[in-house]
Amino acid sequence: VRTDDALAHFEAACKIFPRDVPLLTAAGWINERAAVAPLPIWQPPTRRTSSRAGYKPQLGDLRAARAAKVRGLEAAHRFLTAAIAIDPTDSESALRLGRVAVLLGRDAEARRTLEPVLRTPGVAPAHGYLARLFLGDGAVDGVRLLQPETLRAMMTNQLTEDQRARGETLGMPI
């Protein structure tokens, strides 16, 4: 199954079952995964490309792909927000939404999304632990596991404005 087909099927299923929290969470997950997948920097030759070396995307292609990635993150954000609106105790959706918010550069929203996870009774231990780690500035139960600088680096978009404009990081397309 191609990623585009899977995304289309999830979109259609969510329209049919708009209150199905596991489905909305899965739709958010697959949109997030598609959005963070690496862009190909080389494609094998096809009939369209006469070069034996294959096709190397141009800057316009990379910008279009970057815009598609942002649209994918926005779709993930929409599905996960809908899941949390239906079930505010769903820690899986909250953790995923926190990550998507960080990827979109919405750090304050990520913190607001994770805070309720700590107040949710019966939350999965791993989910509660991650939320406590992020919200406790790297400490859990008074034990420092991450330096605050490390945690801030994890919770912030580390791309420079120039990298965002070019659509690359570490010299690789994103």
Side-chain angles (χ1 to χ4, degrees):
V1 175
R2 290 185 13 206
T3 303
D4 292 343
D5 294 336
L7 294 172
H9 286 292
F10 270 102
E11 182 83 33
C14 288
K15 287 180 182 174
I16 296 167
F17 304 105
R19 298 196 52 79
D20 188 322
V21 172
L23 177 63
L24 291 166
T25 303
W29 174 80
I30 196 164
N31 275 277
E32 174 194 350
R33 297 306 307 153
V36 299
L39 293 175
I41 57 172
W42 179 86
Q43 296 171 357
T46 65
R47 281 193 245 174
R48 274 190 29 198
T49 59
S50 58
S51 168
R52 296 183 78 148
Y55 169 73
K56 186 174 180 181
Q58 302 299 310
L59 186 57
D61 298 331
L62 295 176
R63 285 191 178 134
R66 172 75 173 133
K69 287 180 169 290
V70 171
R71 284 192 305 274
L73 288 173
E74 290 290 354
H77 189 276
R78 181 172 37 91
F79 286 122
L80 295 167
T81 300
I84 292 170
I86 294 165
D87 183 1
T89 66
D90 183 32
S91 58
E92 173 84 16
S93 294
L95 287 171
R96 290 195 182 283
L97 183 58
R99 174 177 157 74
V100 168
V102 167
L103 291 170
L104 287 168
R106 303 173 187 167
D107 300 340
E109 178 186 346
R111 281 189 151 318
R112 284 192 310 274
T113 300
L114 293 173
E115 285 170 352
V117 174
L118 297 179
R119 296 187 300 272
T120 304
V123 70
H127 294 175
Y129 182 81
L130 287 172
R132 288 174 34 215
L133 181 66
F134 288 132
L135 295 172
D137 289 326
V140 175
D141 296 333
V143 177
R144 173 138 322 273
L145 301 170
L146 296 173
Q147 292 300 317
E149 309 80 52
T150 305
L151 187 67
R152 278 193 296 280
M154 291 171 59
M155 295 290 286
T156 12
N157 188 338
Q158 296 295 309
L159 297 180
T160 65
E161 289 302 320
D162 185 46
Q163 287 172 320
R164 290 179 199 177
R166 287 192 323 250
E168 67 178 51
T169 181
L170 301 174
M172 300 297 288
I174 57 170

